[in-house]
Amino acid sequence: MSGGGMTCSYGAGSILALAEKYNLEKPDIVIAGSGNAGTLAYFVTRQYDFMINIWSNLLATKKFIDLGRISKIVDIDYLVDEVIKKQAPIDEEKIYSSKILYLIPATNVETGQVTFFSNHERDDIFEAMRASKAMPVVYNKKITIGKKKYCDSYLSTSTELNTLKAIQLGANRIIIIDNTLPSFISNFVFLLWLNFKSKKFKKNYLKSLKRIKKIKFPKKVQLIKLKPVKKLKISLLNNKHEALEQAIKQGFDETCENLALKKFLKGI
């Protein structure tokens, strides 16, 4: 699954359809960074009601996104510490005991390279999610895990990079959910942020971005990408209740109606 801020509400609807309509509840590997990292945690534990309640209700508050709170427009600490740990608590034991390999990518702020945190390695999933969701500028914090610092970035939320990781782990049938929307503002902010990074970071980061754009996946690997068919009526920082509910429903309905997906899933 891709990242994409509040557009990830579409992804929540889409993966709910995979679980409820197609009974796809036990894939071998799931990977997502940023906005969809938490979604996949609830998917692994099958806490679907919590997942949807978070996206449709618990995030629709200024406690989470406040455009007037310049120092922390998006409060990831509220999301992790209040919502994910308390209001809709994830079943940690199910996360760590699951046979599903659950990976959360985050970007190393010193090297510009991506680290994949894993439930099977018993990495702290809460801090891994916090790191993966640590959006530059609008959250503006670096998250320390071990002795290294991490953040969110286009690289760690790239469906191309995460698909390549799945293939390296042996996956040969892959569903990609990509709810990202082109945004001039977010691209501008990203370039501004990148300009302040070290030479080492920029060199490694830009090299990796260039590499993933040239990725050619093996022909033996079967891929299908699920993207919004109709234009989403939501944006990166739009957490209005109505817009979130509409995006969830759109993700669910379009996934249920996807004829190519039905054909892809036959025999699983």
Side-chain angles (χ1 to χ4, degrees), residues 27-29 44 94-102 119-120:
D28 297 302
I29 304 166
V44 170
K94 283 187 178 179
I95 284 282
Y96 292 119
S97 64
S98 176
K99 292 182 179 180
I100 300 171
L101 176 59
Y102 166 49
N119 63 329
H120 287 182

Side-chain angles (χ1 to χ4, degrees), residues 56-215:
S56 60
N57 296 309
L58 300 183
L59 297 187
T61 171
K62 281 193 172 183
K63 291 180 181 179
F64 180 48
I65 296 180
D66 185 349
L67 298 179
R69 190 176 54 215
I70 303 301
S71 61
K72 191 189 288 185
I73 293 174
V74 180
D75 192 343
I76 300 302
D77 299 321
Y78 168 77
L79 170 59
V80 175
D81 297 327
E82 292 299 322
V83 176
I84 295 177
K85 287 185 178 181
K86 297 178 181 179
Q87 296 181 43
I90 286 177
D91 189 327
E92 289 184 69
E93 183 51 40
K94 283 187 178 179
I95 284 282
Y96 292 119
S97 64
S98 176
K99 292 182 179 180
I100 300 171
L101 176 59
Y102 166 49
L103 298 179
I104 306 173
T107 305
N108 184 302
V109 299
E110 300 297 331
T111 67
Q113 297 175 328
V114 172
T115 296
F116 288 88
F117 296 99
S118 164
N119 63 329
H120 287 182
E121 296 296 324
R122 298 196 70 85
D123 293 322
D124 187 327
I125 61 162
F126 296 112
E127 292 312 299
M129 281 192 281
R130 196 191 311 269
S132 187
K133 295 173 181 292
M135 301 166 67
V137 183
V138 296
Y139 174 58
N140 206 29
K141 283 178 66 176
K142 302 167 186 176
I143 305 304
T144 301
I145 300 178
K147 296 182 179 180
K148 299 176 181 178
K149 296 181 183 295
Y150 299 90
C151 70
D152 182 16
S153 76
Y154 283 161
L155 186 60
S156 52
T157 59
S158 160
T159 56
E160 292 86 357
L161 181 68
N162 296 338
T163 300
L164 181 61
K165 178 66 174 180
I167 292 171
Q168 290 171 344
L169 291 169
N172 52 31
R173 290 173 64 84
I174 301 173
I175 298 172
I176 301 167
I177 300 175
D178 185 358
N179 46 251
T180 55
L181 294 174
S183 170
F184 171 79
I185 294 176
S186 61
N187 288 339
F188 174 77
V189 170
F190 164 73
L191 290 173
L192 184 64
W193 168 77
L194 186 60
N195 191 52
F196 285 94
K197 303 304 291 181
S198 68
K199 289 184 179 180
K200 179 180 180 180
F201 182 96
K202 283 190 283 189
K203 180 181 178 180
N204 289 336
Y205 191 85
L206 292 174
K207 183 179 179 180
S208 295
L209 280 181
K210 186 180 293 186
R211 180 171 65 89
I212 65 173
K213 288 180 180 179
K214 295 180 179 180
I215 289 176

Side-chain angles (χ1 to χ4, degrees), residues 1 6-15 36 55 177-179 226-230 232 234 244 246-252 254-255:
M1 300 182 79
M6 303 314 290
T7 68
C8 292
S9 51
Y10 177 94
S14 183
I15 203 162
N36 273 318
W55 278 111
I177 300 175
D178 185 358
N179 46 251
L226 309 181
K227 290 178 64 72
V229 177
K230 299 176 183 177
L232 285 176
I234 197 166
L244 290 167
Q246 187 176 43
I248 293 167
K249 185 177 186 302
Q250 184 177 336
F252 186 89
E254 288 184 357
T255 301

